[in-house]
Amino acid sequence: MIRTFAKHQIRRQVELSDCLWRFHSGDRRARTAWQPVQVPGCWEQLPGLENYRGVGTYERTFEVQGSAPATLRLTCYGVSHTATVLVDGQLAEQHYNAYTAFSVLLPQLAPGQHTLTIEADNRFSPDSALHVPNDCMTYGGIIRAVSLEQLPQVYLRHLKTTPLWNPKGSWQLRVELALANISTTAQRCMPEVQLPELATGYAWPEQRLAAGEERQVQTVLDLPTAQAWSPGMPQLYRVVAQLSQNGQVTDDLIERTGLREIRLDGSDLRLNGRKLRIKGFCRHEDHPSFGCALPFAAIQQDLVLLKDLGANSVRTSHYPNSELFLDLCDEQGILVWEENHARGLTEEQMRNPNFEPQAEACIREMIRVDYNHPCIYIWGILNECASDTSYGRSCYARQYELIGQLDRSRPRSSASCKFLTDRCLDLPEVVSFNIYPEWYNDQAAPAFLTELYTWVQEETAGRGKPFLITETGAGAIYGYRTPSQAKWSEEYQAQALRDQLAAVFNQPGCSGVYVWQFCDVRVSREWFSSRPRSMNNKGVVDEYRRPKLSYAVVQDCFRALDNYRE
Ligand code: ADA
């Protein structure tokens, strides 16, 4: 399953999960035995490969229909963490980063059967600046869907929608459509866009594209009868783009939009004019039965629990999440802080020559694919990286600038742990900190937060900006109960979260919180010494989603608070 709605009615798109693939550990030349596996999936779920860090090879065949050669587009939505893609043994594409999609055109494939081979490599090395030994797990495999599309000579390459609240007091939608002529001759076509649920649309004049030409057309649609998207009323509308040639519809591309406006107002974040209160959880894509390749049902089950907890937002810590997850958040009105892939990198790690290209590629790919999701209200970067050094600051500045070029409709932020030393608070629109009073330090939560907030307001350029606590929590081993309330007990975690959340929601000027974290997750073996069970045990549920005592504490707190602060 790629999306929760049909992206095409006309164009033929096939998800390559209709049958098992064959897999063996080692690269494509290795002579290890094949075994049948499902895709998406992680090889850590296979007996004997639970801790395998290396290269794995996936392979299957696919058909080109018809009697003439055809151009296909192959899309991999997530390969962890470095992909090498071959078709009929010929190199087609390579890609780094498990959490962003990539596509490659396969031109003029002959009718009949072809072989697709994908090598996935999850090794740590200087070639990988973002997937490093960490307080989370880099799994191995084809962790999200793979699809093939048969493309016409001129096709709809991209559809971007931006909701606008116009001064007359009604909604508009900017629609940007990218066309591509992949034939060897000039082509004429008629692009149009429709919003069926609103019975409106627009048809552009005929376009003539030279061979190989790519072109963008755009329009702004007035939507006087449209309903807004919000957590309480997540109204979505289909945006259906079509391309006609010689009077026949030859291609289509369907997206969804939600009409909502995120605006900064002093120290407040306003959603459709109302002061937002964030009641959120940080969530890793991690599960003992699926690794990071959670199927639709497992993702939705997590969202069922998050809504039961009274949460209205999820922070995709610390990487872009699957579009299935984002679609479900769009449909259920769950706000998302989505962030590029980085966690706790030192200045030395940020000086890896691969770091900036890989981090910036992740930003480009994340925003390109996820831009249309109304649930995403903010873009985050570089969780707890070296924002307290001048070199680190230069990297933060370039990445904030890049986001600003790609999307001016959303604020930017970064979850920092550089208390009293962060040098980047002038750069983002929203100031965010991860705090663990009563866990990593024994300072009482209110005093710790007041000291931090006062420093930001009095000593930094972050003063007066919206302020979020993007992590707070404590560890608890599921089932460890003790009247002494020792650290790692469920009782201690429950009390710490009670104190931390009270401090956050009593802090004037604070727009809300993300609890660290939703569920216990697997971490790299190198982190074993500070992570009992080689897990990050700060979930309010364990890895099997069994609730700890803290579940009811957070639920009581979140349910008692409205989504808005006024
Ligand atoms: C940091 C980090 C999280 C997690 C957390 C913890 O805030 O951002 O990924 O490692 O610490 O559990 O200590």
Side-chain angles (χ1 to χ4, degrees):
M1 190 168 178
I2 297 172
R3 303 296 295 273
T4 62
F5 64 97
K7 291 274 289 181
H8 305 281
Q9 302 290 346
I10 306 290
R11 187 189 302 177
R12 188 168 177 277
Q13 179 180 30
V14 175
E15 185 187 350
L16 298 182
S17 59
D18 51 332
C19 65
L20 296 179
W21 295 49
R22 60 183 192 176
F23 167 84
H24 66 61
S25 58
D27 67 21
R28 59 186 180 276
R29 300 173 187 86
R31 290 286 167 260
T32 36
W34 291 109
Q35 62 177 301
V37 296
Q38 87 280 358
V39 167
C42 299
W43 61 56
E44 287 82 0
Q45 308 319 110
L46 301 173
L49 297 179
E50 295 84 353
N51 298 300
Y52 177 59
R53 195 158 292 287
V55 178
T57 301
Y58 295 79
E59 196 164 87
R60 65 162 287 166
T61 61
F62 63 91
E63 291 287 327
V64 172
Q65 311 284 348
S67 56
T71 294
L72 303 187
R73 179 166 66 177
L74 173 78
T75 299
C76 296
Y77 293 86
V79 178
S80 189
H81 62 60
T82 297
T84 300
V85 179
L86 304 97
V87 173
D88 301 332
Q90 299 301 309
L91 179 63
E93 186 58 290
Q94 291 187 292
H95 180 267
Y96 174 80
N97 207 321
Y99 307 115
T100 49
F102 63 97
S103 295
V104 57
L105 289 185
L106 307 173
Q108 298 304 295
L109 288 179
Q113 193 172 83
H114 297 268
T115 299
L116 171 62
T117 306
I118 299 179
E119 285 182 355
D121 182 345
N122 74 343
R123 289 173 294 185
F124 297 138
S125 79
D127 295 337
S128 170
L130 306 176
H131 288 281
V132 298
N134 222 326
D135 193 18
C136 53
M137 180 71 182
T138 287
Y139 290 92
I142 303 178
I143 65 167
R144 296 177 186 165
V146 178
S147 79
L148 275 174
E149 303 159 84
Q150 191 146 342
L151 298 178
Q153 292 186 322
V154 190
Y155 77 102
L156 297 164
R157 196 165 59 80
H158 194 56
L159 169 54
K160 183 175 167 186
T161 62
T162 306
L164 305 166
W165 177 251
N166 74 12
K168 289 179 289 185
S170 67
W171 290 105
Q172 294 177 310
L173 189 72
R174 181 187 303 123
V175 178
E176 298 168 79
L177 201 49
L179 319 175
N181 176 2
I182 52 177
S183 74
T184 55
T185 58
Q187 298 284 334
R188 294 178 183 279
C189 60
M190 301 285 286
E192 70 169 294
V193 64
Q194 291 295 324
L195 277 72
E197 289 84 4
L198 293 171
T200 186
Y202 180 75
W204 285 271
E206 182 179 74
Q207 307 291 312
R208 182 185 183 281
L209 279 74
E213 181 186 352
E214 295 191 3
R215 176 180 302 175
Q216 181 171 306
V217 294
Q218 74 167 26
T219 189
V220 174
L221 299 175
D222 285 319
L223 308 176
T225 62
Q227 298 297 312
W229 184 94
S230 70
M233 177 69 74
Q235 176 66 53
L236 294 172
Y237 297 103
R238 284 179 301 146
V239 184
V240 180
Q242 290 188 336
L243 210 50
S244 300
Q245 290 191 279
N246 307 316
Q248 184 184 358
V249 177
T250 53
D251 196 26
D252 67 344
L253 178 54
I254 302 169
E255 277 292 347
R256 281 190 317 198
T257 188
L259 300 158
R260 59 102 186 89
E261 180 205 44
I262 297 293
R263 190 163 47 83
L264 305 175
D265 177 11
S267 63
D268 296 317
L269 274 166
R270 288 186 181 270
L271 175 75
N272 301 339
R274 298 187 66 186
K275 288 184 192 176
L276 255 188
R277 173 186 280 120
I278 296 298
K279 309 180 290 175
F281 275 89
C282 297
R283 173 180 174 270
H284 270 295
E285 292 181 326
D286 191 286
H287 194 287
S289 303
F290 307 107
C292 63
L294 278 74
F296 178 77
I299 298 172
Q300 175 55 19
Q301 181 53 26
D302 281 356
L303 292 173
V304 165
L305 294 178
L306 283 156
K307 289 187 295 183
D308 180 61
L309 280 155
N312 64 5
S313 186
V314 174
R315 175 173 170 233
T316 66
S317 50
H318 300 287
Y319 38 77
N321 271 207
S322 78
E323 281 216 271
L324 269 183
F325 168 81
L326 296 171
D327 281 343
L328 289 168
C329 289
D330 287 339
E331 292 171 9
Q332 299 173 76
I334 295 171
L335 293 159
V336 172
W337 160 310
E338 186 162 65
E339 63 186 37
N340 77 338
H341 178 207
R343 184 214 162 275
L345 301 178
T346 63
E347 175 174 340
E348 182 188 4
Q349 288 173 308
M350 292 173 78
R351 284 182 178 276
N352 177 334
N354 293 308
F355 166 73
E356 285 203 275
Q358 290 175 348
E360 291 176 11
C362 182
I363 289 171
R364 292 182 192 285
E365 293 163 355
M366 170 177 74
I367 294 180
R368 175 172 180 68
V369 171
D370 296 341
Y371 180 92
N372 293 333
H373 289 282
C375 65
I376 299 174
Y377 75 101
I378 192 168
W379 298 113
I381 61 169
L382 303 182
N383 174 76
E384 296 196 351
C385 295
S387 58
D388 55 347
T389 72
S390 57
Y391 180 78
R393 176 187 164 86
S394 68
C395 297
Y396 275 80
R398 278 188 285 275
Q399 292 187 33
Y400 280 131
E401 172 59 29
L402 175 58
I403 293 179
Q405 291 165 10
L406 299 172
D407 181 0
R408 296 208 173 282
S409 71
R410 294 177 173 96
R412 300 161 292 185
S413 190
S414 173
S416 172
C417 66
K418 309 304 182 189
F419 311 126
L420 316 186
T421 59
D422 198 295
R423 303 170 62 155
C424 297
L425 302 185
D426 59 315
L427 299 172
E429 286 75 32
V430 175
V431 170
S432 304
F433 275 89
N434 300 338
I435 63 171
Y436 289 90
E438 302 185 25
W439 182 252
Y440 287 125
N441 65 64
D442 288 333
Q443 207 171 342
F448 185 92
L449 180 52
T450 300
E451 182 187 10
L452 172 64
Y453 188 78
T454 303
W455 170 73
V456 169
Q457 301 309 316
E458 296 180 358
E459 309 283 332
T460 78
R463 71 177 64 82
K465 294 183 177 181
F467 179 91
L468 280 172
I469 293 301
T470 26
E471 289 179 28
T472 197
I477 308 294
Y478 177 80
Y480 175 35
R481 303 285 297 276
T482 167
S484 72
Q485 296 213 354
K487 282 191 173 179
W488 294 114
S489 67
E490 289 192 33
E491 290 88 347
Y492 187 90
Q493 182 193 43
Q495 186 55 50
L497 272 166
R498 187 176 290 112
D499 297 343
Q500 293 160 342
L501 294 181
V504 166
F505 290 117
N506 290 328
Q507 175 61 52
C510 181
S511 290
V513 67
Y514 287 93
V515 170
W516 184 273
Q517 64 174 324
F518 169 65
C519 67
D520 294 349
V521 300
R522 188 173 173 183
V523 303
S524 301
R525 295 164 70 87
E526 296 82 350
W527 275 65
F528 75 94
S529 61
S530 63
R531 293 289 182 265
R533 309 191 300 147
S534 292
M535 300 280 290
N536 182 303
N537 297 285
K538 297 190 181 70
V540 298
V541 298
D542 76 351
E543 62 273 29
Y544 294 100
R545 278 63 176 170
R546 297 178 296 184
K548 303 175 187 175
L549 286 176
S550 59
Y551 186 102
V553 167
V554 178
Q555 183 181 58
D556 289 348
C557 173
F558 279 5
R559 281 187 173 181
L561 294 167
D562 193 88
N563 291 326
Y564 302 99
R565 293 165 60 219
E566 62 183 4

